[in-house]
Amino acid sequence: MNYDFRRELLTVHEANLRKPGRVPAENEFLLEEGAKILIAPHAHEVVRIAAEDFCNFLQVSMNLSASVTTEGVGDVTVRLARDAGVDLGEYAAYRSFHIETGAQGIVITAHDERGAQQALYYIEDLMTFEGAPLLAYGKIEKRPMYSPQMVHSAYGVDDYPDDYLARIAHDGRDAILLFVKDVGVSIRGEEDFNDLIQRAARHGIDVYAYSRLKSLKHPSDEGAEAFYDSLYGELFRRFPGLKGVTLCGESNGFSVNEGPMGDWNHPDGIPTGKIHARFYPALDYVPWLNIVKKVIRRAKPDADIVFSTYNFGWCERSERLKLIEALPTDISLLLCFDMFEFLPCGNSLIKNSDHSITFPGPGEYFKSEAEVAHRRGIRLYSMTYTAGRTWDFGMAPYEPMPYQWMRRYAGMSEAQKKWGLSGLMECHHYSYFPSFISKLSKHAFFAPEEPYEELLAKILKAEYGEENYEAVDAALRDFSEAITHYTPTNSDQYGAFRVGPAHPMNLLQSIKIPEDEGAMFGNRIWFPKYLANNNLHWMSTVSPLSIRIREEKKSLAVMLSIMERGVGKLRSIENANAKIARLTGLGQFMTNCVKTAIAAKEIHLLDVELQYTPDIDRVEAILDEIEALLLRERKNAEDTIPIVEADSSIGFEGSMLYMCDKAHLEWKIRHTDYVLNIELGELRGGVRAHREFMKKKGNEQ
């Protein structure tokens, strides 16, 4: 049933993970029945909740009773370095921790409360890997590489139940995003942001306002400061617990009035060919940022003000860097890690239009701006999508391509060393859905870094069974290779890949999928007929569509073959468990998405040829080809229905809601029948009419 996945998001600990035959070695400490978790009497709420959570983990996952105590001796002792008088050295940093295990028990020494929390969650992971409530003797020191790690809700836009917050914290994320349309108004409507701020804080999570507040005044306009104070100043006065705010020209409607910023697109109804300031690094952003910063910091001096250059990649390097050179240095700069990269696709050149894992990054767009930001001392963040979901597959909960993700992790690590990358926005609109990919990134983002493949092996064995590890890993290697043949263009990411096999094969009309009531975007950022004019400002920088589309189709055909190979390996696993069955379904769903994307290109090419060929025999042949294509896509939609019925997380995305569930796939089937029976019937009637006319004309002559 739709939304069943929400129960999974609220399940913090998986039951019965203990392996009956796993006994401790001589150098391992085993927690036994009645174990005590010792915390300080004055322990912070975050520590207390984490300790209670650890007991719940032992009970649910390891079938072991344990309790929290504030006195006596603990089997697990949780303390803060400042209370214990311990110097953690380089690990004396936010959320850092030290774990020491010996014959007498486990001692956690954390830099702060959130470090203590993360240490307990880290131990839960290690015990899950082992399938037993034990740790090897020795020392572990960990420091998170990135903070904040911001995510959106997969439960529903701006919807964060307590147990889902716990899931986020367990995966190492320390910040959530809340769309803010007005003071006290989110996407869901009016609400008390303070409630979310307080509930998130109990789980060691900060809240950032993702601003959708509209910039109706230029900073030079009379009354501009009072106007922005009534928005941003009031936001932080009413909700002082907000950690910060993220600002993006596109979302904030920057440059809506005539004036220094100008309405560059259509001043008299005729496009100028210039890019609107929402997508252009206008220097007017500097006074705008300064006035927003001023009113916020009057209310909250330490607010993290995050400025995004999203969509400025349309522009020349010199124009972008001129703005970075002029920005204030007491803000955070959010750069896109992979966007706007030029990519070869067979014998054509394409551009990575939106967030994708096809190209692991960092891209030239990121590197050029990061270099300037680093030189100027501006704190550097990036949109990395490392929660596991990009814009490549709109209806998949995550992308199971670990080896490609690991290439991104390596690029991020290098960016930290070179340019000081310190914070992440790990998803935008597409949201955080816990998976083995989010677990992998959690552990990959701790310093000192561990070999990614070793981390992956531990996670996969715990997730899918040690006996299935080699087969699952082989399939995931295929998926990771397949994604490198994906085509991250606007035509695909905003077309067939956005909604998957529910995407209609429009011919004579552009008919849209019905959208779910209450969706933030629904079908409004999706194109139901092939987007031939990719973008005016990109047409001069990539190969012409007439060349690209055929090369892209070839590339996707390669991707399809490799995806099918990977799915075949999963299907060959004997006695596959429920998790393998679910991974197989996701792999098959993504495979079906590729089929639809190829079909969308094919029907566009046939449609264009149909409109211009003067050969009536070729017209009839084209209609036969279209019919065969439609029948294949009808079957593809039918084949996808059991997949989405088995896993309700597939076909859903928070900002669009369901766009590829059973109901929408059945709509696709009805739409396909309409095109087959009505539109093709009309076109075939035209062929018959023409033939009869020509026959009559020949007889008369």
Side-chain angles (χ1 to χ4, degrees):
M1 294 290 291
N2 284 359
Y3 296 102
D4 277 355
F5 71 88
R6 285 180 167 173
R7 289 199 296 270
E8 175 187 355
L9 294 181
L10 301 181
T11 303
V12 181
H13 296 127
E14 187 177 348
N16 302 318
L17 297 180
R18 189 163 185 173
K19 299 176 183 176
R22 181 64 168 93
V23 296
E26 289 185 2
N27 65 337
E28 291 177 333
F29 176 76
L30 176 71
L31 288 176
E32 297 180 340
E33 190 70 20
K36 299 293 183 182
I37 316 302
L38 177 65
I39 63 174
H42 59 278
H44 190 279
E45 184 178 34
V46 168
V47 178
R48 178 177 56 77
I49 290 174
E52 292 171 351
D53 175 275
F54 185 67
C55 292
N56 182 259
F57 162 78
L58 293 173
Q59 179 69 60
V60 173
S61 301
M62 296 292 151
N63 306 313
L64 177 73
S65 294
S67 62
V68 177
T69 184
T70 59
E71 56 187 13
V73 177
D75 300 284
V76 179
T77 300
V78 184
R79 61 185 188 171
L80 301 186
R82 62 176 180 266
D83 296 337
V86 175
D87 182 4
L88 291 179
E90 65 176 299
Y91 292 92
Y94 171 65
R95 293 205 307 158
S96 297
F97 56 84
H98 176 285
I99 302 170
E100 186 164 4
T101 305
Q104 303 306 310
I106 302 167
V107 178
I108 294 169
T109 307
H111 172 70
D112 52 24
E113 291 82 6
R114 292 187 179 185
Q117 172 208 51
Q118 289 302 310
L120 285 166
Y121 295 165
Y122 188 85
I123 292 172
E124 289 179 10
D125 290 347
L126 297 184
M127 291 181 172
T128 298
F129 297 158
E130 293 297 330
L134 53 78
L135 283 187
Y137 295 171
K139 297 179 182 179
I140 298 171
E141 292 180 313
K142 290 294 177 182
R143 171 179 53 81
M145 295 171 63
Y146 309 105
S147 180
Q149 290 180 239
M150 297 178 270
V151 297
H152 284 284
S153 173
Y155 194 88
V157 174
D158 293 338
D159 196 356
Y160 294 95
D162 285 342
D163 285 338
Y164 180 59
L165 289 170
R167 292 294 301 271
I168 292 172
H170 275 74
D171 262 2
R173 276 64 190 183
D174 67 339
I176 57 175
L177 290 156
L178 178 70
F179 287 112
V180 176
K181 297 174 65 177
D182 202 346
V183 179
V185 180
S186 72
I187 292 298
R188 300 194 301 167
E190 290 190 17
E191 59 181 294
D192 181 8
F193 296 170
N194 286 323
D195 175 68
L196 175 60
I197 292 167
Q198 292 161 7
R199 289 190 297 108
R202 298 175 73 238
H203 294 282
I205 296 172
D206 294 318
V207 180
Y208 279 76
Y210 186 96
S211 174
R212 294 176 66 88
L213 303 172
K214 299 307 177 186
S215 302
L216 301 178
K217 284 185 179 290
H218 186 274
S220 64
D221 290 347
E222 184 177 353
E225 183 173 330
F227 170 75
Y228 286 107
D229 184 68
S230 71
L231 293 177
Y232 292 98
E234 183 63 15
L235 178 67
F236 280 86
R237 283 190 292 271
R238 282 184 56 184
F239 311 111
L242 286 170
K243 177 69 172 180
V245 60
T246 66
L247 305 168
C248 174
E250 180 180 359
S251 297
N252 299 133
F254 195 58
S255 184
V256 298
N257 63 327
E258 295 293 338
M261 290 183 288
D263 188 352
W264 293 355
N265 269 339
H266 305 84
D268 59 355
I270 301 173
T272 64
K274 295 182 179 179
I275 301 174
H276 193 283
R278 287 183 297 160
F279 306 95
Y280 178 79
L283 288 177
D284 299 75
Y285 276 109
V286 177
W288 179 76
L289 265 173
N290 282 329
I291 201 169
V292 169
K293 182 180 68 170
K294 180 180 180 181
V295 300
I296 289 176
R297 291 205 170 134
R298 274 203 301 251
K300 187 178 178 70
D302 63 344
D304 188 8
I305 297 171
V306 184
F307 178 65
S308 170
T309 63
Y310 174 72
N311 264 329
F312 293 169
W314 302 89
C315 305
E316 293 293 332
R317 173 190 174 103
S318 60
E319 295 173 322
R320 293 187 286 103
L321 299 191
K322 190 184 300 181
L323 174 60
I324 308 300
E325 293 281 8
L327 288 175
T329 57
D330 59 342
I331 62 168
S332 302
L333 184 63
L334 180 67
L335 308 181
C336 299
F337 201 70
D338 61 277
M339 279 180 63
F340 302 110
E341 191 74 5
F342 291 98
L343 304 172
C345 182
N347 293 317
S348 71
L349 182 67
I350 66 174
K351 202 171 188 180
N352 184 8
S353 66
D354 240 313
H355 310 282
S356 174
I357 193 59
T358 306
F359 169 68
E364 292 302 317
Y365 164 51
F366 172 88
K367 289 189 284 189
S368 63
E369 296 187 6
E371 288 170 357
V372 177
H374 182 59
R375 173 171 51 77
R376 297 196 62 231
I378 300 174
R379 186 167 52 244
L380 185 63
Y381 297 168
S382 184
M383 298 177 75
T384 58
Y385 282 73
T386 36
R389 185 177 199 171
T390 72
W391 292 47
D392 292 332
F393 290 87
M395 295 287 107
Y398 68 96
E399 293 174 56
M401 287 82 175
Y403 291 91
Q404 187 72 347
W405 283 114
M406 291 189 288
R407 296 182 187 103
R408 174 155 298 179
Y409 306 159
M412 292 164 59
S413 179
E414 187 66 20
Q416 182 171 90
K417 295 179 180 70
K418 284 186 176 180
W419 305 298
L421 176 63
S422 62
L424 311 176
M425 184 180 285
E426 294 202 84
C427 54
H428 182 50
H429 293 300
Y430 292 157
S431 47
Y432 157 78
F433 192 94
S435 68
F436 78 88
I437 295 294
S438 64
K439 292 176 184 177
L440 176 62
S441 56
K442 169 190 174 174
H443 285 269
F445 294 164
F446 276 120
E449 295 178 83
E450 298 180 50
Y452 300 149
E453 292 200 20
E454 291 181 13
L455 290 173
L456 177 63
K458 293 176 185 177
I459 292 168
L460 293 183
K461 288 175 183 178
E463 194 81 3
Y464 299 107
E466 191 159 357
E467 69 281 8
N468 300 316
Y469 163 68
E470 289 187 4
V472 171
D473 182 66
L476 296 177
R477 287 179 186 273
D478 285 338
F479 294 167
S480 300
E481 179 187 352
I483 195 65
T484 64
H485 298 277
Y486 179 88
T487 53
T489 65
N490 277 342
S491 302
D492 287 329
Q493 288 189 330
Y494 289 81
F497 278 111
R498 176 77 67 164
V499 299
H503 184 78
M505 296 293 110
N506 278 305
L507 187 59
L508 300 181
Q509 299 184 69
S510 183
I511 299 175
K512 281 203 165 191
I513 297 176
E515 63 182 20
D516 280 5
E517 185 178 353
M520 176 181 175
F521 282 138
N523 62 24
R524 292 184 291 282
I525 53 172
W526 158 74
F527 297 93
K529 210 166 188 292
Y530 196 79
L531 183 62
N533 295 320
N534 196 15
N535 190 283
L536 177 66
H537 300 287
W538 281 11
M539 292 172 70
S540 63
T541 63
V542 297
S543 299
L545 176 65
S546 55
I547 297 173
R548 279 192 297 110
I549 189 171
R550 290 170 171 82
E551 295 299 311
E552 290 166 3
K553 191 162 78 77
K554 292 177 187 175
S555 188
L556 290 181
V558 175
M559 181 180 183
L560 176 62
S561 175
I562 301 171
M563 288 296 298
E564 289 177 332
R565 186 175 72 202
V567 171
K569 290 175 181 177
L570 292 176
R571 292 193 189 282
S572 68
I573 297 174
E574 294 183 6
N575 303 314
N577 57 39
K579 287 186 177 181
I580 292 174
R582 190 172 182 186
L583 178 62
T584 305
L586 177 59
Q588 185 63 62
F589 174 79
M590 299 172 92
T591 302
N592 292 359
C593 289
V594 180
K595 293 178 182 178
T596 299
I598 293 171
K601 294 180 187 295
E602 289 176 337
I603 199 168
H604 172 72
L605 289 170
L606 291 169
D607 187 19
V608 170
E609 187 181 2
L610 182 66
Q611 294 177 48
Y612 297 105
T613 182
D615 183 342
I616 194 65
D617 291 334
R618 179 57 189 149
V619 169
E620 191 164 33
I622 289 171
L623 296 180
D624 289 342
E625 291 178 38
I626 291 175
E627 180 178 5
L629 183 154
L630 290 169
L631 290 172
R632 288 199 307 273
E633 259 307 287
R634 192 184 193 284
K635 178 67 163 55
N636 193 33
E638 289 176 340
D639 291 344
T640 306
I641 289 175
I643 298 172
V644 300
E645 285 189 302
D647 185 350
S648 68
S649 70
I650 298 175
F652 173 87
E653 192 279 322
S655 72
M656 295 183 286
L657 301 184
Y658 277 102
M659 293 287 278
C660 192
D661 59 350
K662 179 181 179 182
H664 287 88
L665 288 163
E666 289 177 340
W667 177 91
K668 155 74 170 280
I669 292 168
R670 293 195 300 274
H671 174 272
T672 305
D673 289 342
Y674 160 77
V675 177
L676 281 166
N677 299 325
I678 305 301
E679 291 190 350
L680 274 185
E682 291 289 317
L683 291 168
R684 290 192 188 281
V687 171
R688 289 194 298 272
H690 178 76
R691 290 193 186 282
E692 289 171 3
F693 166 74
M694 294 302 293
K695 182 179 180 180
K696 182 178 179 182
K697 184 177 180 181
N699 291 338
E700 290 175 351
Q701 292 175 345

